[in-house]
């Protein structure tokens, strides 16, 4: 694990090292991370969760994901856009989520912007920044996986220009990785290419 290359799990199959760093990660790594995600509400959820993750470990968010879904009406944009000050106070008291005022406010504000977009517009915008899969070779080690790319910087700028908050280039790249816009599973990882 120290060299950042894929390592064998209990089943003997090779995985990205982070995918074996906690029990909760195995299914997320094997079945979800890096698989294409489409749909405005689904992408809104990932956008929000990546924003909440900022400054924290992803495992913290993953373990509270169901709490977030319950608290934010399944991340249905139209419903979150109707949240009131009472909802904001409810969220600030909800122990099932990360109670960060700025991130809660950004989630509600972003929904209020996105509710006026055309159906499919968020999906189309985000996916328009997916790079050519052949443009970058499969990473052999986690040291070869970037935290920010030109595409994530451009996506961040595009979303901010439209008024969205809490979506910097690093958060945008984490979104791209999680939603399959890029495949950053290591070359020897069992999940490499599974989403394509």
């Amino acid at each position: 694990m120290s060299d950042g290359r894929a390592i064998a799990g209990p089943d003997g199959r090779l995985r990205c090292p982070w995918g074996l760093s906690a029990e909760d990660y195995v299914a997320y790594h094997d079945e979800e991370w890096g698989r294409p995600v489409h749909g405005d509400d689904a992408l809104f959820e990932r956008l929000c969760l990546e924003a909440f993750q900022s400054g924290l470990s992803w495992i913290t968010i993953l373990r509270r994901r169901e709490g977030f879904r319950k608290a934010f009406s399944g991340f249905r944009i139209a419903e979150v856009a109707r949240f009131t000050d009472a909802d904001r106070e409810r969220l600030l008291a909800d122990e099932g989520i990360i109670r960060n005022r700025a991130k809660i406010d950004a989630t509600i504000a972003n929904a209020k912007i996105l509710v006026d977009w055309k159906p499919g517009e968020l999906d189309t915008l985000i996916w328009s920044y997916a790079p050519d899969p052949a443009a970058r070779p499969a990473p052999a080690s986690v040291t070869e996986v970037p935290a920010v790319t030109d595409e994530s910087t451009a996506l961040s700028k595009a979303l901010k220009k439209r008024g969205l908050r809490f979506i910097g280039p690093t958060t945008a790249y984490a979104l791209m990785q999680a939603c399959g816009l890029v495949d950053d599973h290591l070359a020897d990882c069992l999940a490499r290419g599974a989403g394509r």
Side-chain angles (χ1 to χ4, degrees):
M1 188 157 136
S2 60
D3 68 356
R5 294 185 178 275
I7 57 174
D11 59 2
R13 301 173 77 196
L14 294 175
R15 289 178 176 83
C16 301
W18 68 265
L20 293 167
S21 63
E23 189 176 331
D24 305 64
Y25 271 152
V26 178
Y28 177 72
H29 168 275
D30 290 1
E31 301 163 15
E32 191 172 346
W33 191 79
R35 306 283 175 113
V37 173
H38 285 283
D40 294 339
D41 290 341
L43 286 165
F44 175 63
E45 174 182 346
R46 295 342 186 266
L47 187 69
C48 295
L49 293 178
E50 293 295 348
F52 272 99
Q53 185 269 329
S54 181
L56 301 170
S57 166
W58 177 248
I59 197 74
T60 302
I61 303 303
L62 189 60
R63 288 176 176 160
R64 288 180 169 87
R65 185 162 59 171
E66 291 309 314
F68 274 107
R69 287 173 171 165
K70 182 178 176 188
F72 285 98
S73 300
F75 289 101
R76 288 179 292 278
I77 295 168
E79 292 185 32
V80 179
R82 290 193 296 268
F83 278 17
T84 64
D85 287 343
D87 289 301
R88 181 176 178 268
E89 294 308 311
R90 169 185 58 81
L91 293 165
L92 287 168
D94 190 332
E95 294 181 4
I97 66 170
I98 304 300
R99 295 173 292 173
N100 178 296
R101 184 180 309 271
K103 294 174 182 180
I104 289 170
D105 288 348
T107 299
I108 297 169
N110 289 346
K112 289 180 186 297
I113 290 169
L114 292 170
V115 76
D116 291 329
W117 288 24
K118 295 174 185 163
E121 191 172 352
L122 179 62
D123 188 307
T124 299
L125 179 97
I126 288 174
W127 276 90
S128 72
Y129 289 91
D132 177 356
R136 192 172 82 208
S141 165
V142 294
T143 60
E144 297 174 17
V145 177
V148 174
T149 62
D150 291 345
E151 293 88 359
S152 75
T153 300
L155 174 57
S156 171
K157 286 180 181 175
L159 291 169
K160 285 179 178 179
K161 187 175 181 180
R162 303 283 296 268
L164 299 187
R165 296 162 33 191
F166 248 99
I167 181 71
T170 304
T171 299
Y173 194 65
L175 174 77
M176 293 171 79
Q177 291 174 305
C179 295
L181 281 76
V182 295
D183 183 354
D184 276 343
H185 284 287
L186 301 182
D188 295 333
C189 175
L190 66 88
R192 177 78 192 176
R196 301 258 173 222

